[in-house]
Amino acid sequence: MSFIEVKQISKTFRVAKKKSGLKEAFKSFLKREYLDIKAVDDISFSIEKGEIVGYIGPNGAGKSTTIKILSGILNPDSGECKIAGMTPWKERVKYVKKIGVVFGQKSQLWWDIPAEDTFDLLRDIYEIPEEEYLSTKNDLIEKLNLKDIINIPVRQLSLGQRMRCEIAASLLHSPEILFLDEPTIGLDAVSKQLVRDFIKKLNKEKQTTIILTTHDMSDITTLAKRIILIGKGKVLYDGSLKKLKNMYETETYISIKTKDSLNIKKKGIISKKKNKEGYDLVINTKLISISELLTVLSHRISIEDIEILEEPIDKMIVRLYEDYQI
Amino acid sequence: MKAYYTYFKLKFITGLQYRSAAWAGISTQFFFGFVYIMVYIAFYESGGKNIPMTLSETITYLWLNQALLALVNQFTRDEELFKMVREGTISYELARPKNLYFMWFFKVLGQKLAAVTLRFFPLIIVTSLLPEPYGLGLPVSFIGFIVFLLSLTIGSLLVTALTVLYPIVTLATMSEKGIVNLMITIADILSGIVVPIPFFPLFLQKISSVLPFQYISDLPFRIYVGNIQINSCILPIIIQFIWLILLIVIGNLLMKKNLKRVVVQGG
Ligand SMILES: Nc1ncnc2c1ncn2[C@@H]1O[C@H](COP(=O)(O)OP(=O)(O)OP(=O)(O)O)[C@@H](O)[C@H]1O
Ligand SMILES: [Mg+2]
């Protein structure tokens, strides 16, 4: 059995239909109409200890809902789940000692006091022995570069500074599993890099199992070998990012520097555009491989320079969402 | 246990930062205290029959009520807890390996004690310097004062147990407007902070005697002024204590029940 086993979990939210207009408001006061939203629909997967999994999908796909269920905060309507031998929502108090959670959209730090005071509170909540606490805290302060911000009241911190403190707060008790729901939201390039490096190191050094949701595909490319793609509450793809790329990243951009003029029509070449120094080609690598193309080209023109660009992953994701109609 | 104490301490310390709100509260309480006293003096002078408390007892009761209002009322709610439920930061509280009921209990207690600490001293000092019959009187006896302190301590825990129920109910209703606010208003009236219980019409006294609310502050205040004799206050204090235990148990059960179907907002 795997470290994390999720079997056929479903969760439906019932929301009151609110219509606009006075008459409708009055009607709904007398008789409420409800709408059932299947936020998570029969989801199953398993994750091994020490894995980093990117949990992706468009807005409203059910990512946060899944994270809430896996961290014991929400009861699912049906399905089973065993994580480190426990069912999160049934043995919540015991279970949550082993996990850390970061909800990028929410704050766990006390607003009026410095982050370090919240850290001390967490030490007492998780009953961390003083020595262990100090060494973990100092380690986090160093790796997340918190030295100058930890003594300032949290309400005076910038979003990125606060987020780094939030991440540290979730790791003080050295959890075996870490759930990150949009941990890089609102961060600048430098902070993002810092957070990514940190997560990577954490996984490597402590074998922490990490489930990460994000809308920033570079988070995924730098961190996760495996992704689970969900849409409308269902798992659409579960596997390596590489395989998905192979399936999807069929468009490649090639720019060629040449003085010769090129006349070519071949299956697989999607478009050809002349520019100042040569040509920009877009090819479908499923129909024609790059080496094939180069062979053909070198017979016809003399190539001075060549640049090959893969399709940006974000664009691929857009096409992916379109293809799955989510 | 230490975690709950830390919760209490943090909430208490951060609560002490709200000085300007406290000054506003103090002036309001002086104002209301004087208005109430004027009304009661007029009432006593009009020569009503069977008045249940003497004028000086009543005035002392009213000043105690104003001085301790931040502790014994239920309407100044801990906005943080309601916000937590509304906006879903309760996620983090649920991810802690501690009993959520007691985390909230000690937060509310810390907040209440901070609020009353800021307001209590100015009111007590000024009102005890006021001339007869307007001022705060001394306790009926030394023993009476000790029993008052005991009963007030239980009363503080009791009002905390009640105040913490409202955000727990809100877990199910998702909004504290409507039913929850109505509950709070009724609870406050029945606890005697608007009109002392002895002035209630008889039927209302009967109703409130089977409810927990009059054991919050009405009981300790009446012990202080001597309206309830020392030797007849043992039973009410026992009842007070039983209500405290009962409400803690009810709160825990309700929390458990509501958490099963809680819908955590946002994400
Ligand atoms: N508390 C709630 N009450 C009602 N509906 C909810 C609630 N929480 C989530 N939903 C609904 O469930 C669905 C999934 O929401 P969820 O927050 O899991 O999406 P997500 O994948 O995290 O999206 P995003 O990328 O925007 O954060 C959405 O349709 C949302 O409207
Ligand atoms: Mg989300």
Side-chain angles (χ1 to χ4, degrees), chain A residues 258-264 272 274 278-279 300-302:
Chain A
T258 180
K259 292 203 177 73
D260 306 333
S261 72
L262 175 65
N263 240 328
I264 188 167
K272 184 190 83 177
K274 174 118 183 75
Y279 292 91
R300 304 192 180 186
I301 54 175
S302 77

Side-chain angles (χ1 to χ4, degrees), chain B residues 153-165:
Chain B
T153 307
I154 304 174
S156 314
L157 299 174
L158 185 63
V159 73
T160 306
L162 280 163
T163 311
V164 82
L165 279 183

Side-chain angles (χ1 to χ4, degrees), chain A residues 13 64 68 73-75 92-93 96-97 101-103 105-108 110 112-113 121-122 124-127, chain B residues 2-3 6-7 10 14 18 87-89 91-92 94-98 107 260 262-267:
Chain A
F13 288 110
S64 297
K68 284 176 199 160
I73 290 164
L74 214 57
N75 284 33
R92 181 175 64 83
V93 172
V96 293
K97 276 185 199 157
V101 217
V102 175
F103 295 102
Q105 319 241 20
K106 301 179 170 136
S107 180
Q108 62 182 313
W110 287 44
D112 294 325
I113 54 178
L121 171 67
L122 290 168
D124 295 340
I125 289 176
Y126 288 97
E127 295 168 22
Chain B
K2 185 150 182 242
T6 315
Y7 257 111
L10 275 186
T14 48
Y18 297 106
E87 295 173 10
T89 31
S91 300
Y92 276 122
L94 287 172
R96 307 286 181 232
K98 287 279 174 255
K107 272 190 176 178
K260 279 219 178 84
V262 68
V263 187
V264 180
Q265 303 287 329

Side-chain angles (χ1 to χ4, degrees), chain B residues 168-210:
Chain B
I168 295 175
V169 173
T170 309
L171 282 172
T173 62
M174 273 340 280
S175 161
E176 74 274 25
K177 307 211 173 76
I179 185 84
V180 177
N181 275 345
L182 187 68
M183 280 166 66
I184 295 174
T185 310
I186 292 172
D188 267 338
I189 291 171
L190 290 179
S191 74
I193 65 170
V194 184
V195 176
I197 304 284
F199 289 94
F200 278 17
L202 214 57
F203 81 97
L204 212 52
Q205 286 196 36
K206 283 211 173 107
I207 293 175
S208 81
S209 72
V210 296

Side-chain angles (χ1 to χ4, degrees), chain B residues 9-63:
Chain B
K9 196 177 69 185
L10 275 186
K11 200 69 192 179
F12 184 73
I13 293 168
T14 48
L16 290 182
Q17 292 176 4
Y18 297 106
R19 300 253 162 75
S20 50
W23 283 114
I26 289 168
S27 24
T28 320
Q29 273 142 40
F30 272 120
F31 176 74
F32 272 101
F34 278 116
V35 171
Y36 275 129
I37 285 167
M38 292 310 161
V39 170
Y40 277 96
I41 287 177
F43 175 66
Y44 278 89
E45 279 176 354
S46 74
K49 272 179 270 164
N50 301 328
I51 297 179
M53 286 162 79
T54 68
L55 180 61
S56 70
E57 280 176 4
T58 306
I59 288 174
T60 298
Y61 182 116
L62 292 173
W63 280 131

